[in-house]
Every structure is written in structure tokens, then in C-alpha cells.
Amino acid sequence: MTFRVLVTDKVALSGLYPIVDDDDFEVTSVDDSSTDEFATALSETQALIVRSATRVTRDLIERGSHLRAIGRAGVGVDNVDISAASDRGIAVFNAPGGNTIAAVELTMALLISVARKIPAAEASVRAGEWERASFEGVELRGKTLGLIGAGRIGGEVAIRCQAFGMSVIVYDPYLTQQRADELNCELVHLDDVLDVADFISIHVPLTEETRGIVGEKAFRRMKPTAFVVNASRGGVVDEPALAAALANGEIAGAALDVFETEPLPDDSPLRSAPNLVLTPHLGASTAEAQEGVATEVAEKIRALLVDGDGSGAINAGALR
């Protein structure tokens, strides 16, 4: 039997070698999911692989009458209706490991950029200025990093920040004391992170519990010298509250790579907020990460379709 796989959202085809190089698979790439070409291919495919641009809704899933697997080439699956997939007995896979280092390194870049005011300084030089006194920053050395979430990415950020001479405290209700000890981090309450940390870096999924976890009350608890970085998921930071906190000097600065609505709306208050570094969701945007997540999800889809192994599905417990 030949398994048909539909790939969209410019997933790195070079990373799909586990299925591309297998004669049991026929891979079709259609980068625009709104086209008739995509709809026709979807109706005939056993597996769909997407990144974040395509909304895999209940309607889309119903139109994929032969679908057995949906692969998200990345970590977050908030663009996939997992309940609808489970109702149809369709396995949903993600790729949590493939872009870890890319996300970690971007977090470090954002931390340094906001601490040293690099984007604003670069723009100033390009404008013909030489205002060194305007861009005095702060060092990471000797500061306290507060992590909200210390899973795969947060843990790696902790290791790198310690190499910069930072101490690390963590709020993560799912982190064991043993793992905290391995990371040389102190487990604390969320309020302690907000009260004590000089830099706060967020590494949590978007859930009902985490939506707006850093909002108006949180900003009021932070030091006026604190910086906030979010490269996890849009929605965990209350964006209007952040813009207000920056405008009012409640915190010193922030850096965001993810947003509640993407692309960022023209009228977002973040666009005019001071001391704020904005990047367009670049966490997984390295050549290595794009190949890595593609390979990881391709391997899981092959295991399901060829070997009947769906143990890697995030909805494995809900499949009938």
C-alpha cells in the first residue's frame, strides 16, 4: 500500500527523508491550504503535516476523509483541533525536541538584546547618530533569572544563564525537586519569581491555567528594574498590561517573540511601547530546527502508518 502524505506551510522537505526516501510513501507539498489543489490532495491523503500557519479545524479534519495522522512540525499544537481529531480516531503528533536549541538560543539573544538595548542602538547608528550615553545597559552577571516553566527549553536556558554568572529560581508546579537540583535551580512560588527576579523568562504552553499568567498584577509585583522575555506562546503575557507597565515605568524592559494574534495587528499597543524588543515568532527559525522538527514528525507518522505504533501521539489515550 502507498501512503499519501500532504505537506503544507513550507515544512522543510529535506527533513522528511524518513518518508520521502521510502517507496511506501507518496509526498505532496501544497504550501497554501486555501487552494483547491490542497483540498483535492487532502481528500486523498492519510497524513497531513503542518507548521503553524494552517488552522487544522474540525471542518478541515472532516474533509480529510482518509486521514489517519496529523503532524505538527513544531512543539505547540494550538492550531490543531485535537478533540476533533480524536473523535475521528486520528493520531496527532508534534515535534517537541527538534527546535529546542533554536528556541533556547533565541531566548538568550532576546535577554542580551533587551539588557543591552541592542536593537535601539543599532537603529540609532543607522540613523546617523552616535548617542552612546542613551544606551547604557545592564549585565546578566550577578543577576537572578526567574523561570516560569523549566521543561526542555527552560532547563536549557537555566544552564546557559548560569554560565553567564546568573542564579536561577524557578516556578514550575510540574518540576520535581530532583530535576531542580540537577539544574542547580531553586524551586519557588510564582510570587517569589515576580518579586525577586531581575530577568523573567517564560517557558510554558498556552492553557487555561497559563493564559495571562503574566498580567497587570504580576507587573505590579516586579522590580522597576526587571526585564521580561517571552519566547514560548502568545497569550501567556497580557499584552495591553505589558504595554502599560512599560509606559508607566513599572518594569525596565521586555522582549517578545510570540503574540496572542499573529501577525501582530497594526493597532497593537506593543508597537509603540518603550524599551520593548519585538521579533516575528523566530523561535524555530533556524535551518537546523526546521529540518529537525520535520524529521521528528515524519518518523512518528511512519511508525504509525507502517508499524501501527501510535505511542508517540499526544492524543494516544483518547484514540478509539
Side-chain angles (χ1 to χ4, degrees), residues 39-285:
T40 299
L42 178 66
S43 68
E44 301 171 346
T45 193
Q46 281 78 47
L48 171 66
I49 300 178
V50 304
R51 288 179 65 192
S52 58
T54 296
R55 306 297 299 181
V56 187
T57 62
R58 183 174 291 272
D59 174 68
L60 186 150
I61 290 169
E62 293 297 333
R63 288 188 283 119
S65 54
H66 298 290
L67 274 178
R68 293 175 56 190
I70 297 169
R72 163 69 168 95
V75 180
V77 289
D78 25 325
N79 61 316
V80 179
D81 189 331
I82 297 174
S83 176
S86 299
D87 289 345
R88 283 274 313 280
I90 299 169
V92 178
F93 301 100
N94 68 342
N99 62 3
T100 296
I101 298 304
V104 169
E105 291 185 356
L106 178 71
T107 299
M108 297 305 301
L110 292 175
L111 282 167
I112 294 171
S113 291
V114 72
R116 297 302 301 270
K117 303 182 180 180
I118 290 173
E122 196 268 352
S124 173
V125 173
R126 285 187 179 274
E129 301 169 347
W130 197 259
E131 302 290 341
R132 296 176 62 192
S134 300
F135 302 111
E136 182 177 272
V138 297
E139 298 180 5
L140 302 187
R141 179 177 60 93
K143 303 300 192 302
T144 297
L145 172 71
L147 288 175
I148 300 177
R152 181 181 287 105
I153 294 172
E156 292 292 334
V157 169
I159 293 169
R160 284 155 179 77
C161 284
Q162 288 165 357
F164 275 79
M166 303 183 78
S167 59
V168 183
I169 58 177
V170 176
Y171 167 70
D172 188 332
Y174 302 102
L175 191 70
T176 66
Q177 185 61 57
Q178 178 181 353
R179 179 57 177 160
D181 292 342
E182 290 173 355
L183 292 172
N184 195 28
C185 297
E186 180 185 358
L187 274 174
V188 298
H189 189 273
L190 176 60
D191 286 347
D192 296 319
V193 169
L194 301 175
D195 292 344
V196 173
D198 300 295
F199 291 84
I200 296 173
S201 189
I202 307 166
H203 302 281
V204 297
L206 180 62
T207 66
E208 289 306 310
E209 290 74 26
T210 62
R211 182 177 294 278
I213 191 171
V214 178
E216 183 178 354
K217 292 181 180 179
F219 291 122
R220 288 178 178 172
R221 294 194 71 109
M222 295 178 194
K223 299 176 179 179
T225 54
F227 297 87
V228 176
V229 172
N230 182 25
S232 60
R233 306 304 293 175
V236 300
V237 172
D238 183 324
E239 293 173 3
L242 171 60
L246 290 167
N248 297 333
E250 292 178 3
I251 62 173
L256 302 179
D257 182 54
V258 290
F259 308 91
E260 188 158 12
T261 300
E262 296 182 359
L264 187 65
D266 291 342
D267 61 352
S268 169
L270 297 176
R271 290 187 178 274
S272 58
N275 304 320
L276 177 60
V277 176
L278 303 174
T279 52
H281 204 149
L282 300 178
S285 294

